[in-house]
Amino acid sequence: MAMADTNTPPAQMQVSDEVAITIKGMNKWYGQFHVLRDIDLTVQRGERIVICGPSGSGKSTLIRCINALEEHQQGSITVDGTPLSSDLKNIDKIRSEVGMCFQHFNLFPHLTILENCTLAPIWVRKTPKKEAEETAMYFLEKVKIPDQANKYPGQLSGGQQQRVAIARSLCMKPRIMLFDEPTSALDPEMIKEVLDTMIQLAEEGMTMLCVTHEMGFARQVANRVIFMDAGQIVEQNEPESFFLNPQNERTKLFLSQILGH
Amino acid sequence: MSDTHAQSVAFVRTKEIAAKAPPVTDSGAVKWVRDNLFSGPFNTIMTILGIIIVAYLLSGLIPWIVNGTWEGDNIQECRAILAGNGGGCFAVIADRWPQLLFGFQYPDYLRWRPTLAFLLLFLAVPPALFIMFLPRWTLIATVVYPFIAYYLIWGGTILSPLVAALALAGGYLVFHRVERRGFVQGLGAGVVAAILIVWIGGFIASAGSNVLALETVESRAMGGFMLNMILGVVCVSLSIPLGILLALGRQSSLPIVKGFCVVFIEFVRGVPLITLLFVANVVLAYFLPPNANFDLIIRVIIMITMFSSAYIAEVIRGGLAALPKGQYEAGDSLGLDYAQNMRLIILPQAMKISIPGIVNVAVGLFKDTTLVSVISMFDLVGMIRGPILSSTQWTGVYWELWAAACVLFFTVCYGISQYSQWLERQLRTDHR
């Protein structure tokens, strides 16, 4: 999906010096298979990072490690000053502050849109129901589907479902958002509405890590693009230099393949 | 294609095609009959053959019912009244109806108590089954019912069911408090608290054995369809929660919990229910202290519950396995803990998938309660086989009695099945 050319980012999009996520020397194996190798990554608050790479390169696994959906075996991850350890309290704390959107939305099909959005605030944050519903409606309006609040996820289109998923995460007032290929399961017509929502979020200064192949999106909102291959970070740069002047041979090949048609 | 573009390969639609109603074909009863009964030579033959078989069966059944008699005190009188007209001797049902329902040992002047308990069942069950239409507080009726029913059917002091209710409430409260530290710790603490209350309460109940006491009826006096209902209702309502725990335990990452659940499920599924019932009847007595008065009905309830909970656990495991991994991850990523994730997201969906399987087990369980007749308990089947058929008055009246048993069981099982289908429709949220 081609996006409009980069303009100067709005004032809120400036990156602060505060550190949001630190990953140091992280390694992960699936059995004998070494999926993530010596990952070092620091994310500043307000940064918007796009991670791309061929399938199987470990990019999804990397962001799933950040909220402990996957366990890493070596190295350290610190999110908002909380170290990610096997301590369940820390994991729950991190998860409630890090929102995540999945490729297949993963809405709860047995609950209405509104219930999807209020469930976690009510049970995890112990927010009163009425207040949770108000917050949910606020975010549903923001993603432009307040009129669907009482429907079930099965009645919505893919794009609408993904926007609900974003609203559901936002209801927890997260400080960091992770996106795991949020548009890969969508029809072309619906990709734009989801990307627009994400751009809006970026403009409000949300810290975002986004695994995606939407290079237009990367150009427009990312302030860093990371290219991964075979479980390693191969190259990272500002989008402009990354796309116009890739250094690594593997990156060049990848870019020529995804941009070459 | 409009005329202007007819000659060119390129095509631009200039006028939108309006939606039209589907074509009207012949419909109604005639069409249905033609489509479904006589759509070809083979189907026509099958239809005629089917009609002949049904007619033959009805030609025997209808006179049996219509010409049957409900009068007479024994088989000879019955036969005299019928005078060979092919009717059934339903007099046996009229004569022995109380025995079919309550067994032959339950004191007849106390039969109002199980009858009342049965009627109260219709107040206690709807809150559990139709909670979506009723306010939540009505569930109190469901929770309180078992203790009232026990008090009514068995009698004795009201303190015993009261202690049991207190133990349950106390156990739940402790569980609720400790659950924050972890589900397993909470469960353990809850069970310990409940046992403690039962132990202390046991002394109080035996000291005050005359407080509001109803006349006690021993367990071996229970019989007839009442016994089947008691076993069915108790075992179904116990084995569903137990089955859920076993299914979750089997998925657990804690090796001891998982190991216990796997061994339990595989062992119980590998053993016939009859064997377990014989164990309950005979073998358990060897393991218990000589004076221990461990009620036979409770032993049977334990065995049937164990048996069906293992099956229900496997049914629910199927439901859990059918859920996409993303549902677990979505709950996790929102910061829900294990218990919340299971209760709010995973189980509601897994249970919905498992409804047909659970109902299958529940119906099977209810019918399997007749197996207690082989360990000399006089349930409905035991009553018919034993005291009624071997009595001098009614020896040889097979058809009528077994038909009555069929009707009783069919009514309940059909009801369960209809309920489950209705529930499935209610819970369907994935359609447009």
Side-chain angles (χ1 to χ4, degrees), chain A residues 133-157:
Chain A
E133 282 177 355
E134 278 162 16
T135 314
M137 286 313 292
Y138 170 77
F139 284 112
L140 284 176
E141 253 158 58
K142 204 160 186 177
V143 301
K144 302 189 181 69
I145 29 180
D147 43 336
Q148 315 277 9
N150 291 315
K151 289 191 180 170
Y152 285 95
Q155 296 166 291
L156 268 55
S157 75

Side-chain angles (χ1 to χ4, degrees), chain A residues 98-113:
Chain A
V98 178
M100 175 134 187
C101 286
F102 300 87
Q103 183 178 357
H104 296 289
F105 334 131
N106 297 350
L107 294 179
F108 307 129
H110 61 300
L111 302 176
T112 63
I113 300 306

Side-chain angles (χ1 to χ4, degrees), chain B residues 116-242:
Chain B
L116 180 61
F118 178 69
L119 292 176
L120 287 178
L121 188 65
F122 290 96
L123 281 183
V125 166
L129 299 189
F130 304 103
I131 189 65
M132 52 289 254
F133 301 129
L134 294 167
R136 275 184 82 85
W137 61 262
T138 52
L139 274 174
I140 294 171
T142 313
V143 175
V144 171
Y145 177 76
F147 306 104
I148 295 175
Y150 172 84
Y151 180 54
L152 282 174
I153 296 174
W154 274 268
T157 169
I158 199 165
L159 287 179
S160 323
L162 218 55
V163 165
L166 272 177
L168 195 76
Y172 178 76
L173 268 179
V174 171
F175 165 74
H176 197 70
R177 279 283 167 81
V178 186
E179 193 201 353
R180 243 163 274 173
R181 282 187 223 161
F183 184 74
V184 178
Q185 287 96 315
L187 199 67
V191 169
V192 168
I195 290 174
L196 212 65
I197 295 175
V198 168
W199 187 63
I200 297 168
F203 293 115
I204 300 169
S206 55
S209 58
N210 290 321
V211 181
L212 281 175
L214 291 176
E215 188 176 332
T216 311
V217 181
E218 292 297 324
S219 277
R220 62 186 138 71
M222 306 294 157
F225 197 58
M226 175 180 75
L227 183 57
N228 296 112
M229 286 295 285
I230 293 174
L231 293 176
V233 171
V234 172
C235 295
V236 168
S237 36
L238 287 180
S239 59
I240 290 176
L242 208 61

Side-chain angles (χ1 to χ4, degrees), chain A residues 36-254:
Chain A
L36 291 177
R37 307 178 193 178
D38 288 332
I39 304 288
D40 286 295
L41 180 67
T42 307
V43 182
Q44 311 291 334
R45 180 155 312 291
E47 241 191 324
R48 300 161 304 277
I49 296 179
V50 162
I51 305 172
C52 60
S55 67
S57 59
K59 51 197 189 312
S60 286
T61 313
L62 171 60
I63 68 165
R64 288 159 59 85
C65 281
I66 294 172
N67 67 353
L69 286 182
E70 303 276 356
E71 234 176 322
H72 61 281
Q73 279 94 24
Q74 257 178 29
S76 71
I77 301 178
T78 309
V79 181
D80 260 341
T82 312
L84 192 61
S85 56
S86 53
D87 187 348
L88 283 176
K89 262 189 201 139
N90 280 359
I91 290 180
D92 282 341
K93 182 166 184 288
I94 287 174
R95 280 175 177 166
S96 63
E97 294 188 4
V98 178
M100 175 134 187
C101 286
F102 300 87
Q103 183 178 357
H104 296 289
F105 334 131
N106 297 350
L107 294 179
F108 307 129
H110 61 300
L111 302 176
T112 63
I113 300 306
L114 190 63
E115 288 167 340
N116 263 281
C117 293
T118 55
L119 184 97
I122 289 175
W123 289 90
V124 180
R125 292 250 192 271
K126 315 286 179 203
T127 316
K129 188 169 178 228
K130 197 153 175 291
E131 197 185 318
E133 282 177 355
E134 278 162 16
T135 314
M137 286 313 292
Y138 170 77
F139 284 112
L140 284 176
E141 253 158 58
K142 204 160 186 177
V143 301
K144 302 189 181 69
I145 29 180
D147 43 336
Q148 315 277 9
N150 291 315
K151 289 191 180 170
Y152 285 95
Q155 296 166 291
L156 268 55
S157 75
Q160 289 174 324
Q161 290 194 40
Q162 192 60 290
R163 285 184 283 149
V164 172
I166 294 173
R168 176 176 74 177
S169 299
L170 293 179
C171 284
M172 286 295 280
K173 311 262 173 71
R175 309 186 68 187
I176 299 164
M177 283 288 290
L178 308 174
F179 292 88
D180 188 1
E181 306 205 26
T183 56
S184 315
L186 295 176
D187 290 341
E189 280 188 284
M190 296 169 181
I191 292 178
K192 187 171 179 303
E193 61 188 50
V194 171
L195 288 181
D196 286 347
T197 308
M198 290 167 66
I199 291 168
Q200 193 188 352
L201 207 56
E203 284 170 354
E204 286 164 8
M206 176 67 78
T207 311
M208 291 165 71
L209 263 83
C210 188
V211 174
T212 184
H213 294 130
E214 298 298 331
M215 291 306 144
F217 172 78
R219 279 204 177 123
Q220 191 180 348
V221 300
N223 41 16
R224 199 171 1 150
V225 179
I226 293 177
F227 175 72
M228 286 184 72
D229 187 33
Q232 300 148 70
I233 294 179
V234 173
E235 190 164 345
Q236 51 175 314
N237 211 333
E238 292 179 351
E240 206 66 19
S241 331
F242 179 84
F243 288 112
L244 296 177
N245 192 16
Q247 301 296 310
N248 191 294
E249 282 308 312
R250 190 66 194 83
T251 318
K252 286 178 191 168
L253 182 66
F254 177 77

Side-chain angles (χ1 to χ4, degrees), chain B residues 66 145 189 296 314 337 418:
Chain B
V66 173
Y145 177 76
L296 179 60
E314 285 299 279
D337 62 31
Q418 285 301 306

